[in-house]
Amino acid sequence: MRKYSFSVLILLFISIQVFAQKAENTDEHCGMIPYLKMLNKQDPTLAKRIEAMKFSEQEYIKVHGSKLRDPKEVIRIPVVVHIVYNTPEQNIPDEQVYAQIWSLNQDFRRRNGDTINTPQMFKSVAADCGIEFCLAVRTPNDEITNGIIRTFTDKTEFGLDNTIKSSLTGGDSPWDCRHYLNIWVCDISGNYLGYAQYPGGTDSTDGVVVDYQVFGFVNVIHPHYNLGRTATHEIGHWLDLYHIWGDDFGSCDGSDYVDDTPNAKDANYYCPTHPHTTSCNNTGEMFMNYMDYVYDGCFNLYTIGQREKMLAAINLYRSDLLTSKGCNEVIGIPEQKKLSSLRIHPNPINNQFFVDGLEDLKGSVSFQIMNPLGCLVYTRTINNYPDQSFQIDLSGIQNGTYFLKITYKNTDRSFKLIKL
Ligand SMILES: [Zn+2]
């Protein structure tokens, strides 16, 4: 009896140790496997669609391979970052967002300083992916933005269930996902660092979610995931990359559908030293690939094959990004905004009226007044007018309806005038 009790205690102890070990090795990582399971439950046709997409990509790479291996033009993807916070710590500063975008551009262009750590045996397949990211400077409605949206939420954390992606469920709704990469930054429940939606999913949930503790590389709370590479990894998924071990823990059957990433039996963790281990007949595991599970400081490459797969996915399934205006500064809108602050009074008018709000209009401003037949009855141009109010005298012009057009730079605004 006593011996039996002791055995139970030993078993219990081992169970606790195993649980602790698993939590440390797997939970603090990408949420793609449980997230994809949930999506497959919601949409039984998804798995078939994803399978078909893999073959379409392979065909696309066969046809366009040489172009994909030597990308002539860099693809710029506009990013909108939705910071959804419940505490001040979760409301991360702009600098942290800027750092994250900088870090993405280093990694995807292979400009990261730690490329020197890429083992010799993998250097020939390491790739500049020809993909860059910008914080959006133009909204889908052609308005100016800094690409950062801040939303307070009552929710203290978000699961891997897309609730972060709608204002109806305590999160923030995405911008047009066909023209922007939506990244949500929040407190993800459990130990997950992030998750992403593969191409081919629902528009309203498309994008990447990253825990606020591991976003960017300034003010980052986590001691090991502190160089912005959770986003590098999750955007890899968003561009249709899989984990390099093929998501089949303990087996060599799975594949990431990329030829130059050696297959592996399991994910790698912590910060191994090359050559770390071998499995699945590889001659050394590519644990430093962004699609493995090591610490941020131990990642350093995407491969040529992964670049081809990402570029194929963009051209096949995310092609609207190629014509997105999200990275293009808004031109002309500031002038329109200045014109929108103009006011006229009185109206209806007797003989004189005033145009107010000229203080922000530096340079040349033109006034034209036309009757309903389009005949010009008044014209005047002022330059660097010193006052905020300009008087126009219409005495001598018969009563009736007129239209005042004010032109500033390449834009204009019209008012309807009634002279009594
Ligand atoms: Zn992942």
Side-chain angles (χ1 to χ4, degrees):
M1 182 71 186
R2 188 173 172 181
K3 190 176 175 184
Y4 176 74
S5 300
F6 182 71
S7 301
V8 168
L9 281 174
I10 291 285
L11 279 172
L12 187 62
F13 178 72
I14 290 171
S15 299
I16 290 168
Q17 289 303 300
V18 169
F19 175 77
Q21 184 79 3
K22 279 180 97 173
E24 194 171 316
N25 271 0
T26 63
D27 285 354
E28 281 189 323
H29 281 91
C30 172
M32 284 306 285
I33 295 171
Y35 178 64
L36 198 55
K37 272 186 191 162
M38 181 200 76
L39 292 184
N40 279 322
K41 258 190 188 172
Q42 289 175 353
D43 179 0
T45 66
L46 182 65
K48 256 193 173 175
R49 288 208 313 274
I50 287 177
E51 197 64 26
M53 288 165 62
K54 287 172 195 164
F55 290 108
S56 299
E57 283 171 1
Q58 286 168 350
E59 288 303 308
Y60 188 91
I61 291 167
K62 269 186 208 164
V63 175
H64 298 90
S66 58
K67 188 181 162 198
L68 295 175
R69 273 188 287 276
D70 182 22
K72 292 278 184 285
E73 287 183 10
V74 172
I75 294 173
R76 296 194 82 206
I77 298 178
V79 177
V80 53
V81 176
H82 307 260
I83 299 169
V84 182
Y85 65 95
N86 178 257
T87 65
E89 294 76 30
Q90 294 165 14
N91 190 17
I92 60 169
D94 288 354
E95 289 70 25
Q96 206 165 333
V97 178
Y98 302 150
Q100 179 63 72
I101 299 294
W102 186 87
S103 171
L104 289 173
N105 288 332
Q106 296 295 102
D107 290 348
F108 278 82
R109 294 302 315 275
R110 195 161 170 74
R111 291 174 178 154
N112 43 308
D114 48 14
T115 56
I116 56 167
N117 297 331
T118 301
Q120 191 62 37
M121 66 185 288
F122 297 136
K123 279 196 168 145
S124 62
V125 296
D128 168 358
C129 295
I131 299 170
E132 292 185 1
F133 302 85
C134 81
L135 259 183
V137 290
R138 178 190 292 255
T139 70
N141 296 322
D142 289 328
E143 290 170 348
I144 296 170
T145 179
N146 67 352
I148 303 173
I149 313 291
R150 296 178 183 278
T151 306
F152 175 77
T153 182
D154 289 332
K155 295 194 72 165
T156 53
E157 58 182 19
F158 290 87
L160 307 177
D161 54 6
N162 289 330
T163 50
I164 184 70
K165 300 172 184 174
S166 170
S167 48
L168 298 175
T169 50
D172 193 34
S173 300
W175 287 8
D176 172 10
C177 73
R178 292 174 187 271
H179 293 92
Y180 295 86
L181 162 57
N182 287 269
I183 299 181
W184 287 268
V185 180
C186 64
D187 189 355
I188 301 176
S189 56
N191 290 314
Y192 292 109
L193 305 181
Y195 64 102
Q197 182 167 300
Y198 289 118
T202 310
D203 280 3
S204 60
T205 54
D206 190 57
V208 165
V209 186
V210 179
D211 194 281
Y212 75 100
Q213 296 185 41
V214 297
F215 196 72
F217 58 84
V218 293
N219 299 323
V220 175
I221 296 170
H222 201 287
H224 300 304
Y225 307 111
N226 52 3
L227 295 177
R229 280 164 168 170
T230 298
T232 300
H233 175 108
E234 298 303 335
I235 292 171
H237 285 310
W238 184 74
L239 294 174
D240 219 21
L241 293 187
Y242 293 80
H243 296 131
I244 61 165
W245 70 93
D247 285 342
D248 55 342
F249 287 104
S251 157
C252 295
D253 294 338
S255 173
D256 64 350
Y257 303 91
V258 174
D259 289 338
D260 58 10
T261 51
N263 194 11
K265 202 171 177 182
D266 284 308
N268 289 290
Y269 301 93
Y270 312 120
C271 192
T273 303
H274 178 78
H276 168 48
T277 182
T278 61
S279 65
C280 302
N281 296 321
N282 68 38
T283 53
E285 306 221 338
M286 194 186 270
F287 63 81
M288 70 299 302
N289 189 290
Y290 296 123
M291 297 315 287
D292 208 328
Y293 272 7
V294 296
Y295 292 160
D296 273 11
C298 309
F299 286 122
N300 57 58
L301 87 152
Y302 272 133
T303 68
I304 292 170
Q306 287 174 318
R307 176 177 73 197
E308 289 176 344
K309 194 171 192 302
M310 286 192 277
L311 295 180
I314 290 172
N315 281 284
L316 286 169
Y317 312 118
R318 299 196 182 281
S319 60
D320 285 337
L321 290 171
L322 302 173
T323 54
S324 173
K325 295 178 183 170
C327 292
N328 302 345
E329 277 187 31
V330 179
I331 297 170
I333 299 298
E335 283 68 40
Q336 282 182 13
K337 280 195 170 164
K338 285 174 185 173
L339 285 176
S340 71
S341 63
L342 294 180
R343 299 285 178 270
I344 59 171
H345 70 91
N347 190 20
I349 63 177
N350 186 358
N351 285 319
Q352 291 91 23
F353 69 98
F354 295 89
V355 179
D356 287 350
L358 292 165
E359 60 271 22
D360 290 331
L361 304 188
K362 306 301 176 204
S364 175
V365 183
S366 297
F367 303 88
Q368 291 179 309
I369 299 176
M370 284 156 284
N371 67 20
L373 298 175
C375 299
L376 203 59
V377 298
Y378 175 93
T379 183
R380 175 82 188 268
T381 297
I382 57 175
N383 276 295
N384 294 318
Y385 194 68
D387 298 329
Q388 65 166 9
S389 186
F390 180 70
Q391 186 186 51
I392 293 178
D393 187 348
L394 290 186
S395 56
I397 294 175
Q398 66 183 29
N399 293 347
T401 301
Y402 294 91
F403 297 95
L404 166 66
K405 182 179 173 186
I406 302 174
T407 304
Y408 177 62
K409 295 191 173 173
N410 293 321
T411 188
D412 56 67
R413 184 176 176 198
S414 294
F415 295 88
K416 185 178 178 183
L417 303 171
I418 297 171
K419 184 168 187 278
L420 299 176

